[in-house]
Amino acid sequence: MLWVKKRLQSFGQRPIAESESGTLTYADFASEINKWGEALEQWHICAGDRVALITDYHIASIALLQALIDHGCVVVPLCEEDRSLFDERLQVACVNKVLAVDAQGRIAPETTQYQELHTNGQIHPLLQPMVDAGRPGFVIYTSGSTGKGKAVLLDYERMTSKFRDKVRKSFRTLLFLKLDHIGGLNTLLAVMLNGGTIVTCASRRAEDICHCIEQHRVELLPTTPSFLTMLLMSGMYRHHDLSSLQIITYGTEVMPHSTLTTLHRTFPLVTLKQTYGLSELGILSTQSKDSASSWMKIGGKGYQLKVQDGTLWIKSEQAMLGYLNAPSPFDEDGWYNTGDRVEVDGEYFKILGRESEIINVAGEKVFPSEVESFLLTLDNVKDVVVRAKPSPVVGQMIWAEFILEANEQAMLFKKRVVEQCQHCLAPFKIPSYITIAQGDSLVGSRFKKIRKSKAEPEIIQGAVMAPPLLGAMEQMEICEEQHIGGATRLA
């Protein structure tokens, strides 16, 4: 698209990227795009090709991405963490070329520069018009946090249209959300098309992110509530100068109120802004009521909103073209049921949680984030995820899986959790099944809590059942446990 090329050229000597490798200007970036463009021609990658790009953020891979777009390709960003899903995802997206970029921004040797796949000439009907016209776009996969991920087909022109009319204020932005995520793509486009500076970090550990913010004077950190919870619990922010931070944006999942309150108290000079978007609809404009509030205005040009039976529905001009592996989710008028339960106060919305994540305890509906928000305030709790566990008596019970800051006997911990919950939560919101996880993380590769039902191992790590808390709750035994070097294993 000509206007994108002109926009990038207009920023000239502004720095587009800064990392351990040094600083790159927009003029340098344009040269990098041209070099990749020549390489694509040598590799016979043409308009209409569906190209899988296996990479994390690196300025070289970002230049390659832009060159692929300029060539009229449909790009399928993939991350190494999902390699076990590659075969299926390549097939669904009708990929016919694969490029892999290593951590130094080089085409990975094992791909022998590029690999051509055999697709038997079969192209999904939604893809065919884009292929025929050489129209660029993306295929990204939903996280599948409550089920199998769906392949979302996006049109590049639709995605960038909101940036065309006006150049907005730019920031030095740390790219945290990954390239295969709608939030990551949106952040990248927003930085590039507004003349901002990209900062990349090879690691997403709290300590490394804090070091990167300090070293490169990052102004904007777009991330997830789960990472922010980890950041606070780690205490790493105390050991680094994060005074350059002006804005922290968070989205992809519900922010626990306890985390937001602590975050606001810890970073009183930083604006905390909730974002909202979906792979299927794009990222909407938002305006938080204030930094300590989970209420926000949602919308912006090209979006219509309505609330139906407590659930948010959206109609978007930036909507996806459709799924490549599932039926269209839009109704006949183009409305999309987000599945997000909301409260409304005038112009403001409060996201309560996904409808699919609601836990039904004897007819009472419980949002996991509400319970998590309280559990995170308890002593010795580093992190927690709340999910449903089937129950033959009450339908579902609440399962709370914890990571502790320090070793503690499981039985004593369980007893303390239940006693404190009884003082502050309604009986049906109290966890009836408590486990202590091994490892140091309860989130997936996208730093988002995975709530889909998981198969229980033969021996549950740290499983402790609470005594019945409802009249209808089945009788459950408190399991004998033994303490094993910091982890808890059922005998």
Side-chain angles (χ1 to χ4, degrees):
M1 290 164 58
L2 186 58
W3 77 265
V4 171
K5 189 172 184 177
K6 288 183 176 179
R7 176 75 61 83
L8 295 176
Q9 289 175 342
S10 72
F11 297 133
Q13 295 304 310
R14 285 194 197 183
I16 187 176
E18 191 171 297
S19 67
E20 299 290 347
S21 304
T23 300
L24 198 76
T25 68
Y26 277 84
D28 297 330
F29 184 62
S31 297
E32 289 293 315
I33 294 172
N34 290 335
K35 289 178 184 177
W36 280 119
E38 293 171 1
L40 296 179
E41 291 177 4
Q42 292 175 6
W43 300 335
H44 306 292
I45 294 179
C46 310
D49 281 339
R50 287 79 58 207
V51 183
L53 182 59
I54 305 169
T55 184
D56 200 346
Y57 285 118
H58 187 286
I59 192 58
S61 60
I62 293 171
L64 173 56
L65 173 65
Q66 190 60 46
L68 287 166
I69 292 297
D70 290 347
H71 259 61
C73 299
V74 176
V75 183
V76 186
L78 298 173
C79 289
E80 283 290 346
E81 291 91 339
D82 297 324
R83 184 165 283 277
S84 63
L85 304 172
F86 279 8
D87 287 346
E88 177 188 354
R89 292 186 171 184
L90 294 174
Q91 183 177 3
V92 167
C94 307
V95 167
N96 66 327
K97 302 285 173 64
V98 176
L99 296 172
V101 182
D102 66 18
Q104 285 71 46
R106 302 169 302 197
I107 292 293
E110 65 268 21
T111 66
T112 58
Q113 297 182 315
Y114 78 92
Q115 174 184 356
E116 185 160 358
L117 303 180
H118 299 288
T119 60
N120 298 321
Q122 296 179 352
I123 298 176
H124 193 285
L126 283 177
L127 270 168
Q128 191 68 62
M130 298 183 73
V131 170
D132 292 343
R135 199 165 78 244
F138 294 97
V139 176
I140 61 174
Y141 288 83
T142 61
S143 62
S145 58
T146 57
K148 187 176 180 180
K150 296 183 177 68
V152 176
L153 179 60
L154 300 168
D155 183 285
Y156 179 76
E157 186 172 357
R158 284 192 188 184
M159 293 177 69
T160 56
S161 61
K162 63 182 179 181
F163 301 110
R164 184 169 185 170
D165 295 336
K166 181 181 179 182
V167 177
R168 296 172 175 81
K169 184 178 179 180
S170 60
F171 296 92
R172 297 169 66 82
T173 304
L174 195 156
L175 297 187
F176 182 92
L177 301 173
K178 295 190 175 183
L179 198 58
D180 65 343
H181 185 284
I182 185 62
L185 281 175
N186 185 78
T187 301
L188 174 62
L189 293 172
V191 176
M192 289 171 51
L193 298 178
N194 289 310
T197 302
I198 294 164
V199 176
T200 57
C201 183
S203 162
R204 286 169 177 80
R205 294 173 60 244
E207 181 177 9
D208 296 329
I209 292 294
C210 288
H211 174 73
C212 188
I213 293 171
E214 177 180 31
Q215 181 180 11
H216 299 295
R217 307 305 295 161
V218 170
E219 297 168 326
L220 171 59
L221 173 64
T223 186
T224 68
S226 289
F227 174 78
L228 292 170
T229 299
M230 292 166 58
L231 174 65
L232 292 171
M233 294 299 179
S234 73
M236 287 299 168
Y237 60 89
R238 300 189 187 98
H239 307 295
H240 296 83
D241 178 8
L242 306 186
S243 60
S244 63
L245 270 180
Q246 298 179 27
I247 304 173
I248 295 175
T249 62
Y250 58 91
T252 78
E253 60 184 348
V254 176
M255 168 70 86
H257 180 71
S258 54
T259 297
L260 182 59
T261 300
T262 305
L263 196 66
H264 181 54
R265 185 171 62 246
T266 304
F267 301 103
L269 301 180
V270 176
T271 298
L272 306 178
K273 181 181 179 182
Q274 187 173 4
T275 59
Y276 184 81
L278 297 97
S279 301
E280 295 84 351
L281 302 175
I283 307 299
L284 288 71
S285 295
T286 60
Q287 180 183 334
S288 295
K289 184 175 285 188
D290 57 62
S291 286
S293 175
S294 54
W295 290 89
M296 61 178 170
K297 293 180 181 178
I298 307 174
K301 183 180 178 181
Y303 289 95
Q304 299 177 54
L305 285 73
K306 67 180 180 181
V307 177
Q308 199 166 296
D309 298 326
T311 301
L312 182 61
W313 288 65
I314 298 177
K315 191 173 183 179
S316 168
E317 292 179 3
Q318 296 179 33
M320 67 172 182
L321 300 179
Y323 294 131
L324 299 181
N325 58 351
S328 172
F330 300 103
D331 70 12
E332 58 185 11
D333 296 319
W335 287 91
Y336 177 84
N337 181 352
T338 67
D340 286 322
R341 298 297 297 269
V342 298
E343 290 181 357
V344 183
D345 182 12
E347 297 180 285
Y348 290 92
F349 295 83
K350 182 178 182 180
I351 309 296
L352 302 176
R354 302 305 303 272
E355 205 162 44
S356 57
E357 295 174 356
I358 292 175
I359 304 172
N360 193 321
V361 182
E364 299 284 358
K365 294 183 178 180
V366 181
F367 290 97
S369 60
E370 180 184 3
V371 180
E372 287 172 358
S373 184
F374 171 73
L375 297 178
L376 284 168
T377 67
L378 303 183
D379 290 341
N380 200 29
V381 172
K382 186 175 183 180
D383 204 358
V384 62
V385 63
V386 167
R387 58 173 70 92
K389 178 175 171 59
S391 164
V393 177
V394 294
Q396 293 177 320
M397 67 175 79
I398 296 174
W399 175 2
E401 187 171 14
F402 290 86
I403 290 179
L404 305 185
E405 292 180 343
N407 295 345
E408 183 174 352
Q409 286 190 358
M411 296 297 289
L412 296 178
F413 175 73
K414 181 278 307 179
K415 181 179 179 182
R416 181 165 61 80
V417 168
V418 172
E419 287 176 349
Q420 291 182 272
C421 286
Q422 287 174 330
H423 290 295
C424 300
L425 297 178
F428 61 88
K429 295 181 181 179
I430 300 176
S432 299
Y433 192 72
I434 296 171
T435 59
I436 300 172
Q438 287 188 320
D440 59 358
S441 178
L442 295 171
V443 302
S445 61
R446 292 181 174 181
F447 283 84
K448 178 180 176 182
K449 288 180 178 174
I450 305 297
R451 303 190 193 281
K452 63 181 177 182
S453 299
K454 65 177 186 178
E456 295 179 37
E458 291 183 9
I459 300 178
I460 302 274
Q461 299 299 330
V464 182
M465 291 189 181
L469 299 170
L470 292 171
M473 186 72 74
E474 66 264 50
Q475 298 295 318
M476 297 180 289
E477 295 181 357
I478 298 178
C479 301
E480 181 182 359
E481 55 81 30
Q482 58 186 112
H483 204 66
I484 306 179
T488 310
R489 182 183 295 270
L490 285 186

